[in-house]
Amino acid sequence: MPGLLRGVARTAVISGTATAVSNRVSRRQAGRWAQQDYGQPAAAPANSAPAPAPEPAAAASMETKISQLKELAQLKEQGVLSEAEFAAQKSRILAL
């Protein structure tokens, strides 16, 4: 049974991460389409500095990361995740 719970927990963490990434890609694509509708260039020139990320998107992303880290901590406390698994998932979430 612990192996099953570990697998379910790992799947939940991975799907949460995938959802966060998918949402970010969707927002970026919608922004590009909106720029094309207004006749603006879709991408900045290669020699210019990258535009700063919008503040609401960054806040939502941070909230998502925090909630995923809280879920990971709960799974570790319950004994579902080992220390090594916890560290690996934590680093993956923080790298996004």
Side-chain angles (χ1 to χ4, degrees):
M1 193 64 142
L4 177 63
L5 290 175
R6 183 174 289 140
V8 169
R10 187 177 299 142
T11 301
V13 169
I14 292 170
S15 67
T17 303
T19 301
V21 170
S22 174
N23 289 340
R24 182 172 180 231
V25 169
S26 295
R27 283 192 304 267
R28 185 184 305 160
Q29 186 64 40
R32 287 181 181 167
W33 288 340
Q35 287 177 347
Q36 288 176 355
D37 288 343
Y38 291 113
Q40 297 176 352
N47 59 358
S48 69
E55 197 61 36
S61 176
M62 184 56 68
E63 289 175 8
T64 302
K65 288 180 182 182
I66 290 171
S67 68
Q68 290 176 344
L69 290 171
K70 286 180 181 178
E71 289 177 23
L72 272 178
Q74 288 175 350
L75 292 172
K76 182 183 167 217
E77 288 174 6
Q78 295 171 356
V80 176
L81 295 176
S82 69
E83 184 67 37
E85 291 170 327
F86 175 77
Q89 293 296 330
K90 177 180 159 185
S91 65
R92 185 162 51 179
I93 288 171
L94 293 175
L96 293 178

